Amino acid sequence: MEINVNPKERLMFNAFLLMFILHTAQTGVGIAGLPRIIYMEANRDAWISVIIAGILVSFVLFLMVKTLETYDSADLYGIHMDVYGKWISKGMNFLYILFYLGVTYVILMNYIEMVQAWIFPRMPTWLLMGLLLFLLVYAVLGGIRVVVGIAFLGLILAFWLLFMIYTPVKFMDFNHLLPVMTSSPKELMMGAYKTSFTIIGFDLVLFVYPYIKEKKKVLKYALIGTGYSTFLFTLVTVVSIGFFSEDALLKTIWPVLSMFKILRIPNLERFEFIAVSFWMLVILPNICLYFWVATRGMKRVFHFSQKKAIYLFAATLWILSLFVHERITMNTITDKVGTASFFLSFMYPALLFILVKLKHIGNRKKGVDL
């Protein structure tokens, strides 16, 4: 496996699109229940935990980009090859392939649960999974430029949902947010930790970097994209805390969707039906990006046809959907993947940055170019 990736010119895209890639990768099904999860840890200071998580994302993202800049045009799979050698790198890369496949599965299953709870309670999971996988496979077969295009259009088409938060704001009680800083540092950090699964996606810069034309602008646009995500997460958390009472927020599984219940549009009684349906445009870029990374890894690491990997992984996800029937089981799986995301997306890149810099220094002393 080559360390550096040299994609064809027609597959490359402008750096500003990285804003859309990272934001859509971060903003998915998790944001619907994020305020409740953080509130359970940090109470009324939950919004501060989101900001802490956003600052941590910016720091880790800086380390990631500096790691990538050490090479000409490498992705994480190639960096592992350079740092660990042939055999250990395969194990590390396979771990990431399984991780991103697991993230895709969790997003799909949580969205299916949302659809079943709000719109089609009797529709079987396997049918909904099959329909979503059909869209997923069709999109990813188009390649990286199609996936990036979906990320761009997904944000543009779903952007109007942001303005729907205006109505709940009018019914907020700002006393629910006071007094500020009553939570302990431990509670705030636990809240930031619980944000980790929702806010992941910024690490995809490690995989799309070779396909970006203006590599010197990567850090700027990456920080803009993740900064907007942090703003959005903070906004919905603040509004949710102010809108719900303490007991109501703790008992509401998807507080962001529940706030849409108060919206009233002429000739439309249940606006949340529209919101849940449109939410597919929010999660579609999510699953396409993660699924592309997993299938691309099979081609890069094991020289396995990416097209065959797409069909194989899609069949695997569909089969796995047949074995989960209870919410508590899905919650356990989500928690496990969330824990893995904290280590693989937040902790490990810092270690990798140190290893790459040490190897680079060693190679420079030996007169070896990366």
Side-chain angles (χ1 to χ4, degrees), residues 234-291:
T234 306
L235 175 64
V236 298
T237 302
V238 168
V239 174
S240 297
I241 294 173
F243 182 81
F244 293 98
S245 66
E246 180 178 355
D247 292 338
L249 183 55
L250 291 174
K251 294 177 181 178
T252 306
I253 299 175
W254 297 295
V256 177
L257 287 179
S258 297
M259 286 191 294
F260 287 143
K261 281 185 175 182
I262 67 171
L263 293 175
R264 289 293 178 266
I265 298 176
N267 302 319
L268 184 63
E269 282 293 323
R270 303 293 298 274
F271 178 78
E272 64 270 23
F273 285 5
I274 302 297
V276 172
S277 301
F278 242 88
W279 215 270
M280 187 182 69
L281 292 176
V282 177
I283 71 145
L284 186 59
N286 259 185
I287 57 179
C288 286
L289 287 164
Y290 293 126
F291 198 67

Side-chain angles (χ1 to χ4, degrees), residues 65-100:
V65 174
K66 291 304 175 183
T67 301
L68 291 166
E69 288 178 349
T70 307
Y71 299 85
D72 292 331
S73 184
D75 59 3
L76 183 62
Y77 297 130
I79 293 173
H80 280 162
M81 178 69 179
D82 181 57
V83 173
Y84 298 118
K86 181 179 180 180
W87 298 110
I88 297 179
S89 67
K90 284 190 175 181
M92 291 295 299
N93 287 333
F94 188 62
L95 176 63
Y96 269 89
I97 291 171
L98 290 179
F99 168 65
Y100 285 114

Side-chain angles (χ1 to χ4, degrees), residues 81-338:
M81 178 69 179
D82 181 57
V83 173
Y84 298 118
K86 181 179 180 180
W87 298 110
I88 297 179
S89 67
K90 284 190 175 181
M92 291 295 299
N93 287 333
F94 188 62
L95 176 63
Y96 269 89
I97 291 171
L98 290 179
F99 168 65
Y100 285 114
L101 191 63
V103 172
T104 305
Y105 176 73
V106 168
I107 294 171
L108 284 168
M109 290 297 290
N110 277 279
Y111 179 69
I112 288 170
E113 182 185 4
M114 189 186 298
V115 172
Q116 290 173 331
W118 289 81
I119 305 178
F120 301 117
R122 296 185 180 180
M123 184 170 287
T125 300
W126 62 266
L127 178 57
L128 285 169
M129 177 64 85
L131 294 172
L132 290 171
L133 286 175
F134 176 79
L135 284 175
L136 175 60
V137 169
Y138 182 74
V140 178
L141 282 173
I144 179 64
R145 287 184 66 88
V146 172
V147 172
V148 173
I150 290 173
F152 176 79
L153 290 176
L155 175 60
I156 298 301
L157 294 176
F159 188 72
W160 65 273
L161 286 172
L162 176 63
F163 296 99
M164 296 300 103
I165 206 77
Y166 169 73
T167 302
V169 167
K170 295 189 295 184
F171 295 95
M172 282 180 59
D173 183 351
F174 286 93
N175 290 323
H176 293 175
L177 298 164
L178 301 174
V180 180
M181 293 297 293
T182 55
S183 301
S184 66
K186 180 181 178 181
E187 290 171 332
L188 291 175
M189 294 310 297
M190 280 302 298
Y193 168 73
K194 288 293 186 179
T195 313
S196 61
F197 179 65
T198 301
I199 211 167
I200 64 167
F202 63 93
D203 47 323
L204 293 185
V205 70
L206 293 169
F207 302 93
V208 301
Y209 182 79
Y211 297 89
I212 300 172
K213 293 179 181 178
E214 310 101 325
K215 291 182 170 51
K216 291 183 179 179
K217 299 180 180 179
V218 166
L219 182 59
K220 178 179 75 172
Y221 287 116
L223 289 175
I224 293 174
T226 56
Y228 176 61
S229 299
T230 302
F231 164 75
L232 183 61
F233 295 155
T234 306
L235 175 64
V236 298
T237 302
V238 168
V239 174
S240 297
I241 294 173
F243 182 81
F244 293 98
S245 66
E246 180 178 355
D247 292 338
L249 183 55
L250 291 174
K251 294 177 181 178
T252 306
I253 299 175
W254 297 295
V256 177
L257 287 179
S258 297
M259 286 191 294
F260 287 143
K261 281 185 175 182
I262 67 171
L263 293 175
R264 289 293 178 266
I265 298 176
N267 302 319
L268 184 63
E269 282 293 323
R270 303 293 298 274
F271 178 78
E272 64 270 23
F273 285 5
I274 302 297
V276 172
S277 301
F278 242 88
W279 215 270
M280 187 182 69
L281 292 176
V282 177
I283 71 145
L284 186 59
N286 259 185
I287 57 179
C288 286
L289 287 164
Y290 293 126
F291 198 67
W292 178 84
V293 169
T295 56
R296 174 67 181 169
M298 292 297 290
K299 182 178 181 180
R300 283 273 287 145
V301 179
F302 301 104
H303 306 289
F304 189 79
S305 168
Q306 187 171 4
K307 186 175 182 180
K308 293 180 180 178
I310 290 171
Y311 291 129
L312 176 63
F313 284 172
T316 302
L317 293 176
W318 186 81
I319 293 171
L320 289 174
S321 70
L322 303 175
F323 295 96
V324 177
H325 304 288
E326 298 179 359
R327 174 173 175 77
I328 190 170
T329 305
M330 198 61 238
N331 284 346
T332 302
I333 296 173
T334 302
D335 289 341
K336 296 295 182 183
V337 174

